Amino acid sequence: MVSKSIFKKIAIFGTFLAIVTNIYTATYPSVHPSKCSWKCTQNDDDIAVDLLSSWEKVVYYSKRYLFDVKEQLLPGKPDEETTKNDDPADIHLMAFGDPQIKGIFSNTPYITRLDIFGNDFFLGHIASTMRRRLHPSHIAVMGDLFSSQWIGDSEFYNRTSRYMSRIFGRDISSLEQIKSEHHDKDGQYQVDWESWGKKLDKIRATEKPWDLGFHHENVYSWDPQNEDSLFINITGNHDIGYSGDVTYQHLSRFHELFGSDNYWIEYDTDTDHPWRIVVLDSLLLEGPGLQNEFIDVTWEFLYQLFERRFKGSTVLLTHVPLYKEEGICSDGPETRFYPEVYEPEPYKSKLLRSHNHLSEEVTKRVLNLIFDNNKPGIILTGHDHVGCETYYNKNSTSGDWKASKKIESPGELLSVQEITVKAMMGEFHGNTGLVTGHFNKKTGLWEWYFSLCPFTIQHVWWISKVSALLTGLLWSIYILL
Ligand SMILES: *[C@@H]1O[C@H](CO)[C@@H](O)[C@H](O)[C@H]1NC(C)=O
Ligand SMILES: *[C@@H]1O[C@H](CO)[C@@H](O)[C@H](O)[C@H]1NC(C)=O
């Protein structure tokens, strides 16, 4: 029977495809073992691969891949003990750029719905694979968690719930608790922005420094009973809007579901190796804004931070990249304002509509307020999706900062690297950013390293799922034929 033999061939091909794509998706970090590991735990002795013949390359990469897969399957190597005893332990921060999850509305076509549904699990696969492999101490999502700031409270809640459960595998009972306390007459989440605003007004009516809860110390988990890493959410323009758009509703619901937009956490301040994380809401640094009081709050945050006179190293996490000239990264500087006459929303006349970078002036002030102690640090941003690495070089005589592709060493007081983390979205190949902080006892300084671990376009993940399903179906039919 011809048809049956053809059928069998298709089924065999399908099986092969399913096996290969599923093994690949399950073990993808092993394809790039050093890019997908913390610095110092993996031998980076990449030999001069370019000099090898094609066949030798195949052998080299296969061996490297198989070795890494084996390491993952048989963990608990004795030398892990020694790294654990290292004092202080390395800092392992995992950063995800701009997931931008989309929403489903009543007019969304079914194919798009399926795509959005699958995309949540594609992102979830990346997050869970990388966490299982690397056990980060900190996880940061670089803003633009969602794809639009123009959504209602109920949709904002629904996406938060998908973000938490499908992508990051987190418990959503606290979220459900919030909804049970703050809902409309149909039981859908509704933020009480008026009381939130009143609380803020009350604080703003007091003398500075305002008590806005910016300070944290030695926090390694918000929920130590259930989690052994610290989860950090960062505001993006798609989560709260640019300053010309941000309303009380936008900001209060972010605060309620994702936590504060500005805070710092200081670690090990009484040791020889203090360091800190600074989470900065870069959307609310410049205007003209719709609610300029929010911008006041962010500057108040930076002044309080500066007043700490902190002695250690800083990891700055924020969404909008700092100012740099055209040509250094994919995005050049661009700032747009609403026109003077803006019919759809007249009250937005001339307000800040969007920006690719912070302005040059604001960038300088931010760097001087945060990196004033001349200790090394690292800046992680999101926003441009393509990714970029830049150095901010501080001139020792003028105190000015200049962005450049490289460390401009002679005469420079300090160079701080800014990493614009390439997006986690499938179109950008599902990346995970890995920051390793290592304390160098000889110099008495923290050293910071970054690497980017790519996955692949979402279609490969889809093929792995669909081919597995189809193959199962094909063999069942074959048996029946
Ligand atoms: C959010 O999810 C709930 C429960 O599934 C649903 O009833 C509601 O309509 C959703 N909200 C929006 C805006 O789609
Ligand atoms: C960040 O967001 C997640 C998901 O909503 C939440 O569980 C977590 O508590 C948030 N972080 C903070 C500091 O509130």
Side-chain angles (χ1 to χ4, degrees):
M1 230 167 90
V2 179
S3 67
K4 191 162 178 180
S5 83
I6 290 177
F7 205 86
K8 188 172 175 185
K9 277 186 190 141
I10 297 174
I12 290 173
F13 173 74
T15 311
F16 177 74
L17 189 68
I19 291 174
V20 171
T21 51
N22 278 285
I23 290 181
Y24 169 69
T25 51
T27 61
Y28 81 86
S30 300
V31 176
H32 302 284
S34 57
K35 281 186 196 166
C36 300
S37 301
W38 306 116
K39 176 87 179 174
C40 309
T41 57
Q42 181 83 24
N43 281 336
D44 295 344
D45 54 8
D46 269 350
I47 53 169
V49 183
D50 292 344
L51 303 176
L52 300 179
S53 70
S54 322
W55 173 244
E56 284 169 328
K57 273 186 201 163
V58 171
V59 173
Y60 170 77
Y61 286 125
S62 314
K63 263 193 174 160
R64 190 178 74 170
Y65 168 76
L66 290 173
F67 180 78
D68 191 83
V69 171
K70 194 190 90 197
E71 292 270 284
Q72 293 306 311
L73 294 177
L74 309 166
K77 300 251 308 196
D79 57 74
E80 222 170 38
E81 292 293 312
T82 48
T83 48
K84 278 225 178 74
N85 290 336
D86 240 17
D87 184 42
D90 284 358
I91 297 156
H92 289 156
L93 184 145
M94 198 170 263
F96 294 107
D98 306 48
Q100 293 205 348
I101 59 173
K102 299 193 180 93
I104 291 172
F105 301 95
S106 56
N107 58 354
T108 308
Y110 279 98
I111 187 78
T112 316
R113 289 178 191 225
L114 183 66
D115 187 40
I116 291 170
F117 179 79
N119 189 54
D120 285 355
F121 292 97
F122 166 81
L123 299 174
H125 176 72
I126 296 170
S128 65
T129 305
M130 294 305 290
R131 285 167 79 177
R132 213 177 315 116
R133 176 184 171 91
L134 294 174
H135 310 289
S137 54
H138 297 75
I139 299 170
V141 187
M142 303 312 304
D144 281 3
L145 322 172
F146 305 156
S147 70
S148 171
Q149 65 270 45
W150 317 116
I151 55 179
D153 289 348
S154 166
E155 177 60 19
F156 190 85
Y157 175 91
N158 289 359
R159 286 196 214 181
T160 308
S161 158
R162 281 165 49 200
Y163 170 88
M164 278 180 83
S165 59
R166 289 188 193 161
I167 304 180
F168 292 105
R170 294 162 63 79
D171 178 41
I172 55 166
S173 51
S174 60
L175 198 61
E176 284 163 347
Q177 180 67 31
I178 294 173
K179 181 168 155 180
S180 72
E181 287 160 17
H182 301 280
H183 56 77
D184 62 12
K185 59 181 182 349
D186 302 322
Q188 300 298 339
Y189 171 70
Q190 187 176 41
V191 70
D192 180 5
W193 59 265
E194 276 172 316
S195 2
W196 184 86
K198 279 198 190 113
K199 263 188 227 144
L200 182 64
D201 283 349
K202 238 193 193 150
I203 297 169
R204 287 179 49 247
T206 62
E207 293 248 329
K208 285 183 182 174
W210 291 332
D211 179 13
L212 286 159
F214 299 136
H215 177 76
H216 299 272
E217 233 172 272
N218 295 321
V219 188
Y220 292 94
S221 169
W222 301 116
D223 178 12
Q225 245 119 58
N226 298 308
E227 286 187 328
D228 57 1
S229 57
L230 188 82
F231 202 87
I232 299 171
N233 311 299
I234 299 161
T235 45
N237 50 290
H238 284 313
D239 311 314
I240 60 168
Y242 292 99
S243 73
D245 307 320
V246 187
T247 58
Y248 278 87
Q249 184 194 6
H250 282 118
L251 201 57
S252 59
R253 69 191 185 190
F254 188 92
H255 272 245
E256 187 155 82
L257 304 189
F258 289 110
S260 189
D261 55 339
N262 286 305
Y263 59 97
W264 65 75
I265 310 171
E266 294 176 357
Y267 292 93
D268 304 334
T269 42
D270 50 355
T271 67
D272 64 348
H273 52 266
W275 68 284
R276 67 179 174 184
I277 287 178
V278 174
V279 177
L280 172 66
D281 186 347
S282 44
L283 279 327
L284 293 169
L285 274 174
E286 50 193 282
L290 188 60
Q291 305 290 346
N292 285 309
E293 58 273 35
F294 296 158
I295 299 178
D296 287 350
V297 167
T298 309
W299 284 103
E300 168 67 6
F301 166 73
L302 283 172
Y303 297 140
Q304 288 190 23
L305 183 84
F306 178 74
E307 287 304 329
R308 302 289 300 165
R309 306 286 160 175
F310 190 68
K311 301 228 162 36
S313 199
T314 301
V315 179
L316 170 61
L317 305 174
T318 196
H319 182 67
V320 182
L322 307 193
Y323 177 82
K324 52 191 72 68
E325 283 162 20
E326 185 82 47
I328 296 181
C329 294
S330 142
D331 278 353
E334 186 190 59
T335 304
R336 291 163 61 226
F337 298 92
Y338 283 102
E340 190 160 358
V341 181
Y342 186 62
E343 301 252 326
E345 290 160 305
Y347 57 95
K348 288 193 178 171
S349 159
K350 293 196 198 158
L351 300 184
L352 180 64
R353 190 172 194 168
S354 71
H355 48 163
N356 282 349
H357 299 157
L358 295 179
S359 72
E360 194 170 6
E361 179 57 30
V362 164
T363 297
K364 214 163 95 181
R365 286 170 70 195
V366 166
L367 287 169
N368 282 331
L369 288 167
I370 299 181
F371 294 96
D372 65 303
N373 65 9
N374 295 325
K375 288 283 167 59
I378 189 167
I379 305 168
L380 299 188
T381 58
H383 201 44
D384 96 341
H385 303 173
V386 178
C388 192
E389 300 189 9
T390 314
Y391 288 94
Y392 284 85
N393 300 287
K394 185 177 180 181
N395 186 304
S396 51
T397 37
S398 67
D400 259 352
W401 296 83
K402 188 167 179 346
S404 153
K405 274 315 246 186
K406 56 182 195 307
I407 299 180
E408 306 206 336
S409 33
E412 301 305 332
L413 205 53
L414 177 68
S415 294
V416 181
Q417 192 176 22
E418 181 203 53
I419 310 280
T420 304
V421 182
K422 191 170 174 181
M424 183 187 199
M425 288 181 270
E427 300 96 290
F428 297 92
H429 295 181
N431 301 282
T432 306
L434 301 174
V435 176
T436 308
H438 178 74
F439 185 69
N440 183 331
K441 284 193 182 137
K442 286 199 199 92
T443 58
L445 296 172
W446 283 98
E447 291 164 357
W448 302 98
Y449 303 94
F450 179 81
S451 73
L452 190 74
C453 172
F455 182 24
T456 180
I457 191 153
Q458 68 273 33
H459 305 108
V460 178
W461 182 86
W462 272 110
I463 292 171
S464 74
K465 301 290 162 214
V466 173
S467 61
L469 256 173
L470 276 184
T471 310
L473 200 68
L474 283 175
W475 284 116
S476 326
I477 298 172
Y478 177 76
I479 291 165
L480 296 177
L481 274 180

